């Protein structure tokens, strides 16, 4: 059970940026900073792939609407990554069953992913792109900082991750009204454009 806080924190971080988690854990293990990292995460090919995908996410995550598409694609990837990392950590330590660790890591990653995706949908209702850049940078720094902290003080890191997860869920619930209003306005604009185009087609009016 001493491994559970690290699994929980890595699950929370995987729901935000799974590639950063794999890359950080792999580097910690490969450099000898931690004995809790399984060999599978330290392999050079895994580190290279995780690094490349992390760079792709770092770019996509800062572009309005592209970030939401990226989040949609990763709705399955992030929870699976959280579950796999948790199971690997459990297998390395032997103090927690693989199944239990995978369940904790995967469910926590899914919850934090939903928080991230919901927050981004709300942020994308703003016309300026800077909020996306600021939020994405804060997420990257938060993941890096908390995963690093978890390697040396897993219990405290897990408490911080739990507080951030609870706060994020509360924020998404609060912002859901704004998200629904935005989606309703967008659907209304599309319908107005469709009706206008249909009207021009029937009357023969030029589109200008």
């Amino acid at each position: 059970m001493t491994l559970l806080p690290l699994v929980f924190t890595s699950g929370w971080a995987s729901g935000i940026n799974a590639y950063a988690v794999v890359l950080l854990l792999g580097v910690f293990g490969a450099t000898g900073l931690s004995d809790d990292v399984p060999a599978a995460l330290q392999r050079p090919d895994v580190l290279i792939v995780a690094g490349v995908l992390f760079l792709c996410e770092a770019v996509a995550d800062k572009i309005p609407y592209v970030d939401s598409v990226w989040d949609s694609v990763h709705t399955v990837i992030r929870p699976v990554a959280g579950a796999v990392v948790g199971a690997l950590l459990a297998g390395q330590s032997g103090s927690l069953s693989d199944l239990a660790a995978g369940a904790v890591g995967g469910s926590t990653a899914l919850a934090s992913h939903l928080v991230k995706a919901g927050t981004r949908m709300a942020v994308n209702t703003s016309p300026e792109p800077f909020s996306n850049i600021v939020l994405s940078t804060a997420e990257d720094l938060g993941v890096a900082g908390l995963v690093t902290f978890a390697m040396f003080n897993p219990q405290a890191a897990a408490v911080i991750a739990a507080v951030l997860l609870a706060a994020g869920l509360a924020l998404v619930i609060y912002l859901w009204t704004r998200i629904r209003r935005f989606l309703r306005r967008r659907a209304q604009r599309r319908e107005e454009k469709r009706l206008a185009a249909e009207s021009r087609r029937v009357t023969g009016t030029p589109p200008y």
Side-chain angles (χ1 to χ4, degrees):
M1 296 303 293
T2 57
L3 187 68
L4 188 59
L6 179 58
V7 171
F8 181 86
T9 303
S10 65
W12 171 84
S14 294
I16 298 174
N17 194 325
Y19 306 124
V21 174
V22 173
L23 183 61
L24 283 169
L25 291 178
V27 169
F28 288 141
T31 55
L33 292 176
S34 174
D35 297 327
D36 293 328
V37 180
L41 297 179
Q42 302 178 37
R43 291 168 41 186
D45 56 333
V46 172
L47 294 176
I48 291 173
V49 172
V52 171
L53 291 175
F54 169 73
L55 292 176
C56 293
E57 176 149 338
V59 174
D61 214 32
K62 294 174 176 60
I63 304 174
Y65 299 106
V66 174
D67 59 350
S68 291
V69 174
W70 185 269
D71 286 338
S72 298
V73 173
H74 285 74
T75 300
V76 175
I77 296 175
R78 287 170 182 159
V80 169
V84 170
V85 169
L88 288 174
L89 290 172
Q92 173 75 6
S93 172
S95 62
L96 183 67
S97 73
D98 296 1
L99 183 60
V104 171
S107 59
T108 307
L110 177 60
S112 62
H113 164 75
L114 294 176
V115 169
K116 174 186 173 76
T119 303
R120 288 309 181 86
M121 289 181 65
V123 169
N124 284 335
T125 61
S126 175
E128 45 78 28
F130 301 106
S131 54
N132 295 76
I133 297 174
V134 171
L135 184 57
S136 175
T137 302
E139 289 172 349
D140 293 341
L141 293 175
V143 166
L146 200 55
V147 170
T148 301
F149 185 48
M151 301 307 297
F152 304 99
N153 198 331
Q155 289 80 11
V159 171
I160 296 173
V163 171
L164 290 174
L165 181 59
L169 290 171
L171 179 62
V172 168
I173 294 173
Y174 172 76
L175 293 175
W176 182 242
T177 302
R178 180 178 178 181
I179 296 172
R180 287 192 302 175
R181 186 164 57 245
F182 168 73
L183 294 176
R184 189 162 52 245
R185 286 201 305 265
R186 187 170 65 175
Q188 183 178 359
R189 286 196 298 269
R190 288 178 177 175
E191 181 65 15
E192 290 173 352
K193 289 180 180 179
R194 188 189 68 81
L195 292 176
E198 183 69 16
S199 177
R200 289 194 297 267
R201 187 183 66 81
V202 173
T203 61
T205 303
Y208 51 81

